[in-house]
Amino acid sequence: MRQANSIIRSLCCDFPHMKYLKFILLSAIIIIFCLSTKPVSAQSLPQNLSSVNVSNLSDAQIQQMVQQAHAAGLSDSQIVQQAEDKGMSTDQGQLLQKRIEASRSSGTSAQTDSDTTTQSQSRVLNYKSTGLNKQNQYSNQADTTPKIFGADLFRNNNLTFEPNLNLATPVNYIVGPNDQLNVNVYGNSLANWKLNVSPEGNINIPGIGIVNVAGKTIEQATALIKSKLAANNYAVGHGTNVQVSLGNIRSIKVILVGEVQKPGSYTLPSLATVFNALYAAGGPNKNGSFRQIEVIRDNRIIRRLDVYDFLVKGEQKDNIGLQDQDIIRIPTYRVRVQMTGEVKTPALFEVLPGETIQDVIGFAGGFTDQAYTALIKVSQISDQQRRITDIPEADYKNYVPLRGDIYTVDHILNRFENRVTINGAVFRPGQYELQKGLTLMQLIQKAAGIKEDAFTGLGTITRLNPDNTTAILSFNLKDLINKTAADIPLQREDVINISSIFDLRDKYTVTIKGAIRKGGTFAYADSISVEDLIIKAGGFAEGGSPKRIEVARRVNDSDPNSKSSSVAQVFQVDVNAQLDKELVNFRLKPYDIVSVYSLPGYEMQRTVKIDGEVLYPGYYVIKNKNEKISDIVARAGGLSASADVDGGTLKRSNTAILGVDKNKTDTTELARERTARLARLQKSYKDTTKIAEDTTLRNNFVGIDLKKILEKPGSNIDLLVEDGDEIRIPKQQQIVRVNGEVLYPSAVVFENGKSFTDYVSNAGGFSPEALKRGAYIVYANGTVKGTTKFLFWNTHPKVKPGSEIYVPKKPEPKGDTTGKIIGYTTALASLGAIILGVLSLYK
């Protein structure tokens, strides 16, 4: 092989036009190696495959190589492994594996069989089949309405009825031309022949001669071959055994005629049955019979196939094997009826003579669970019109279906003939059987009796009148229990309702607020005390006082004619701090509100943050209630040399601004109240732009004058500090920001002597939409100053380092439009002309 490759390469180098010759020679060499390999040899591939390109091999070459390898007992994976061992690259090996799989899926490659003891191979087709191994063309068609029972059988891609070619050879299989017989002689004599049956029906046994096997079964052919071998010095039965099996099988031609989806001639395997042929042709069409399919052989009907036997019973007794030139004829149906309504498989069903509606019900799978089975309605054809007939259940076995019958199975009524219902305060509410003579107290006993919370006053019975309207009957449950009132007989569909005492009043609750850990509303219980409620609320919060606890109670005797009448009754209660005993015998009542207060003088630590240009920035705890900004600055060591005292700011959180109670220890409740207050404040604004412009909502800064505060500590402008305050002293500021309705918003370097207008000019000047008289300045310390007006002149505030100039936009015009102004002018001119005309009359 290596020498052949070198010769081919030299030829290609000397003669470039001989590139195609290389492919032809290389293919021939591979085929020669494959054909020269003996069946019993494991060396089924050439010794050197390093230069073989699998892409250049034809399908026939791949098939020949695989057949030779299978004859040597190699599987597909072993073929690829052996090829790689002989020099084939991994990529070429993967490509070879794909080519083998593709060849197998197309029906041209032999199946692998690991049974080397009998030297038998899996069968393949000797032809290209029509109708099998194809996508059913009817699978995507819409189902007819109503559908024909059994039509989907031959249009289901998951059910092809394709014969299994790997089954053991049937002993009654009739051998014919193009079949292949595998004759295996073993024992004292060894031989393995694969003999093809000629068109004349003969096989040629090496050394024996011609043997005619056409028209014989496998069993008969085996006996004939054994006799021929025994007559030619093979000791058959005396140390030598002979096994004959079917190899590659032949094709047969079958003709389908009549009411079939695709009538015509079909090429099928010789193992094919009637179902195979029907599937290949798509089955009967809409007029075809599913129950009287005829198989015609030698001009006579040899079998009639009823597809319903397979669909209903799973039987295939008439699904016989086909032979060459068989004819399958599908006649038109005779009687077809429709079954609708509450059956498991509503469809059109074909009916044969002698069958009844009971058989049709069986074809439909029987009734559903909700079917009314006592009567079936049938719509029949009567001359020129239809008529309705009722079929009672007793006649199901006698009624003979007629052409065009439409049967309807109704749903059972949503109605109970013996039901009573009991709801409410009983242990087992629900629906019960109305037995003869059942009374109300007997039904209560069936429901396991009344609950402890049952209201023993009035109960109700909702009863149906004869016209299906409802009526309410009242009864006294206590009298029935004490037998001081007569028991009440019940009727069909009575609904009894026994209320609970909790259904007849509001839910009893008590509320506790103030200096406790988990305030809220709790369920009321009889004899509950203040101590009990405090324990339910998690005990006192830190700083909560057990003294002067107030209990507010509802009043129901307030004088509506008095302005000073009480609206609540208030009690003061002292409790034990350890909650281990009751100091007073005070019991709460429903809807009481308990208020727990903090201890007098109890204060939680409050912190203030100061950062920036101070000597000791950080957090400081407020020491006194009257501690002010100047005190915090002093405690921080005073200002540094680079501090901008004019830019000092105070940031105060919403907690302090909105006045939230800071004595609360429940941080969740604190956050909830802060959010709620802020939401209410934001809700008052309709425009989100206004929210952004509002300094309180935007950054919480409070405008202070730190320079004056430090010059006059303790003055009115020296504010008291609050919990969470942040004081910041920046470095010396050097820029001024100009924003809003200017042509180029920017930051401008601060210069002494520059006016408000100068800074706006540095930002490009006012835009056409600028509201000049509304311009204002936000100073670094958070204070704001706006533009004032004197006569016709705007007076702008002084600009300082770190300031921000903001020019707002003109409001949208809300006055008259140009068209309205012209209209007003025209009207005034007309009015003036009229006045002048009137005056001229008096001259």
Side-chain angles (χ1 to χ4, degrees), residues 4 76 101 140 264 477 601 636 676 722 751 822 840:
D76 292 348
E101 292 174 357
N140 294 327
L477 183 59
E722 297 284 352
E751 295 181 21
I822 295 174
S840 64

Side-chain angles (χ1 to χ4, degrees), residues 350-565:
E350 185 178 348
V351 182
L352 297 180
E355 293 180 337
T356 65
I357 192 175
Q358 186 70 52
D359 298 310
V360 179
I361 295 172
F363 298 155
F367 297 110
T368 65
D369 297 336
Q370 302 297 321
Y372 175 62
T373 61
L375 186 74
I376 293 179
K377 298 176 183 178
V378 54
S379 172
Q380 297 176 326
I381 296 176
S382 175
D383 296 332
Q384 298 182 10
Q385 56 188 348
R386 283 189 170 272
R387 65 189 181 92
I388 298 295
T389 302
D390 295 335
I391 307 174
E393 188 173 8
D395 293 339
Y396 288 173
K397 294 183 179 180
N398 302 320
Y399 180 85
V400 177
L402 302 176
R403 174 181 60 88
D405 280 358
I406 300 176
Y407 304 109
T408 302
V409 181
D410 288 333
H411 194 283
I412 59 174
L413 299 177
N414 187 19
R415 174 187 173 96
F416 291 85
E417 62 183 17
N418 62 341
R419 177 180 66 175
V420 290
T421 306
I422 184 169
N423 299 321
V426 292
F427 285 103
R428 295 186 180 276
Q431 300 175 352
Y432 289 87
E433 177 189 1
L434 176 61
Q435 298 173 337
K436 186 176 181 179
L438 183 68
T439 63
L440 176 57
M441 288 305 297
Q442 291 173 349
L443 179 60
I444 292 175
Q445 291 175 1
K446 277 191 172 185
I450 61 173
K451 291 183 178 180
E452 296 82 354
D453 60 328
F455 177 65
T456 57
L458 291 180
T460 60
I461 301 176
T462 303
R463 176 164 292 176
L464 283 179
N465 293 325
D467 60 353
N468 269 356
T469 59
T470 57
I472 299 294
L473 304 180
S474 300
F475 61 88
N476 189 291
L477 183 59
K478 185 176 182 180
D479 293 344
L480 290 175
I481 295 174
N482 296 332
K483 298 183 179 180
T484 58
D487 205 351
I488 302 174
L490 298 179
Q491 298 180 10
R492 185 184 70 86
E493 293 298 320
D494 278 355
V495 178
I496 295 90
N497 185 70
I498 298 175
S499 300
S500 167
I501 58 174
F502 302 114
D503 298 332
L504 303 177
R505 61 171 173 81
D506 291 339
K507 184 179 180 181
Y508 287 171
T509 59
V510 287
T511 303
I512 185 169
K513 299 180 178 181
I516 39 87
R517 296 183 64 246
K518 298 177 182 179
T521 301
F522 298 86
Y524 171 79
D526 289 341
S527 302
I528 186 173
S529 65
V530 176
E531 291 85 351
D532 297 330
L533 184 57
I534 293 174
I535 291 173
K536 278 180 173 288
F540 292 106
E542 184 67 27
S545 173
K547 306 297 182 182
R548 295 184 71 256
I549 295 175
E550 285 193 352
V551 179
R553 182 166 295 166
R554 292 181 178 181
V555 296
N556 53 16
D557 57 354
S558 178
D559 184 4
N561 297 320
S562 174
K563 293 183 178 180
S564 60
S565 60

Side-chain angles (χ1 to χ4, degrees), residues 215-229:
K216 297 180 173 59
T217 65
I218 285 289
E219 188 175 20
Q220 294 171 342
T222 301
L224 179 60
I225 293 172
K226 286 182 178 180
S227 65
K228 292 291 185 181
L229 292 175

Side-chain angles (χ1 to χ4, degrees), residues 71 198 209 263 316 370 385-386 390 438 440 557 563 575 657 723 728 746 754 760:
S198 68
Q316 299 190 61
Q370 302 297 321
Q385 56 188 348
R386 283 189 170 272
D390 295 335
L438 183 68
L440 176 57
D557 57 354
K563 293 183 178 180
V575 299
I657 294 176
D723 184 29
R728 186 177 184 279
S746 58
K754 271 191 176 183
V760 173

Side-chain angles (χ1 to χ4, degrees), residues 104-381:
R104 184 179 305 283
S105 63
S106 65
T108 60
S109 177
Q111 300 285 336
T112 302
D113 192 337
S114 60
D115 187 6
T116 58
T117 60
T118 62
Q119 296 295 319
S120 64
Q121 291 177 243
S122 300
R123 304 184 189 97
V124 297
L125 302 177
N126 276 336
Y127 65 96
K128 184 175 181 181
S129 173
T130 59
L132 297 180
N133 296 324
K134 67 182 183 69
Q135 183 75 16
N136 194 306
Q137 62 177 325
Y138 306 102
S139 60
N140 294 327
Q141 291 183 359
D143 292 335
T144 58
T145 304
K147 68 177 183 179
I148 300 174
F149 182 65
D152 293 339
L153 179 65
F154 303 108
R155 303 175 187 178
N156 185 353
N157 292 329
N158 298 321
L159 185 65
T160 64
F161 298 103
E162 183 178 354
N164 188 350
L165 303 182
N166 295 324
L167 292 175
T169 304
V171 294
N172 60 347
Y173 177 79
I174 305 298
V175 180
N178 291 329
D179 276 340
Q180 184 185 69
L181 296 182
N182 296 330
V183 181
N184 185 18
V185 181
Y186 59 96
N188 294 333
S189 300
L190 298 176
N192 186 14
W193 298 309
K194 298 183 185 303
L195 307 176
N196 294 325
V197 181
S198 68
E200 292 77 19
N202 300 323
I203 58 173
N204 187 0
I205 303 176
I208 304 297
I210 302 299
V211 178
N212 185 275
V213 293
K216 297 180 173 59
T217 65
I218 285 289
E219 188 175 20
Q220 294 171 342
T222 301
L224 179 60
I225 293 172
K226 286 182 178 180
S227 65
K228 292 291 185 181
L229 292 175
N232 287 271
N233 299 323
Y234 283 87
V236 178
H238 302 281
T240 299
N241 297 310
V242 178
Q243 182 182 18
V244 179
S245 61
L246 185 65
N248 298 338
I249 64 176
R250 71 183 188 278
S251 67
I252 60 175
K253 291 286 186 179
V254 178
I255 301 173
L256 284 95
V257 295
E259 300 299 326
V260 65
Q261 293 283 359
K262 292 187 65 179
S265 178
Y266 288 85
T267 301
L268 301 174
S270 56
L271 294 175
T273 63
V274 180
F275 276 168
N276 302 143
L278 290 174
Y279 179 82
N285 60 22
K286 65 179 181 179
N287 294 322
S289 171
F290 282 77
R291 309 201 59 190
Q292 293 181 315
I293 300 174
E294 301 171 352
V295 180
I296 302 173
R297 183 175 299 163
D298 297 332
N299 297 322
R300 64 185 183 90
I301 299 174
I302 64 169
R303 194 67 59 96
R304 281 188 173 88
L305 174 68
D306 187 348
V307 178
Y308 281 22
D309 288 340
F310 176 74
L311 293 173
V312 179
K313 305 174 187 177
E315 296 179 358
Q316 299 190 61
K317 63 180 184 297
D318 295 322
N319 184 27
I320 61 174
L322 298 175
Q323 294 186 16
D324 193 35
Q325 300 304 317
D326 277 354
I327 298 174
I328 298 175
R329 175 181 172 271
I330 302 178
T332 58
Y333 68 86
R334 294 183 180 177
V335 177
R336 183 179 284 173
V337 297
Q338 181 180 354
M339 180 70 74
T340 63
E342 293 299 324
V343 289
K344 295 176 181 176
T345 309
L348 290 171
F349 298 93
E350 185 178 348
V351 182
L352 297 180
E355 293 180 337
T356 65
I357 192 175
Q358 186 70 52
D359 298 310
V360 179
I361 295 172
F363 298 155
F367 297 110
T368 65
D369 297 336
Q370 302 297 321
Y372 175 62
T373 61
L375 186 74
I376 293 179
K377 298 176 183 178
V378 54
S379 172
Q380 297 176 326
I381 296 176

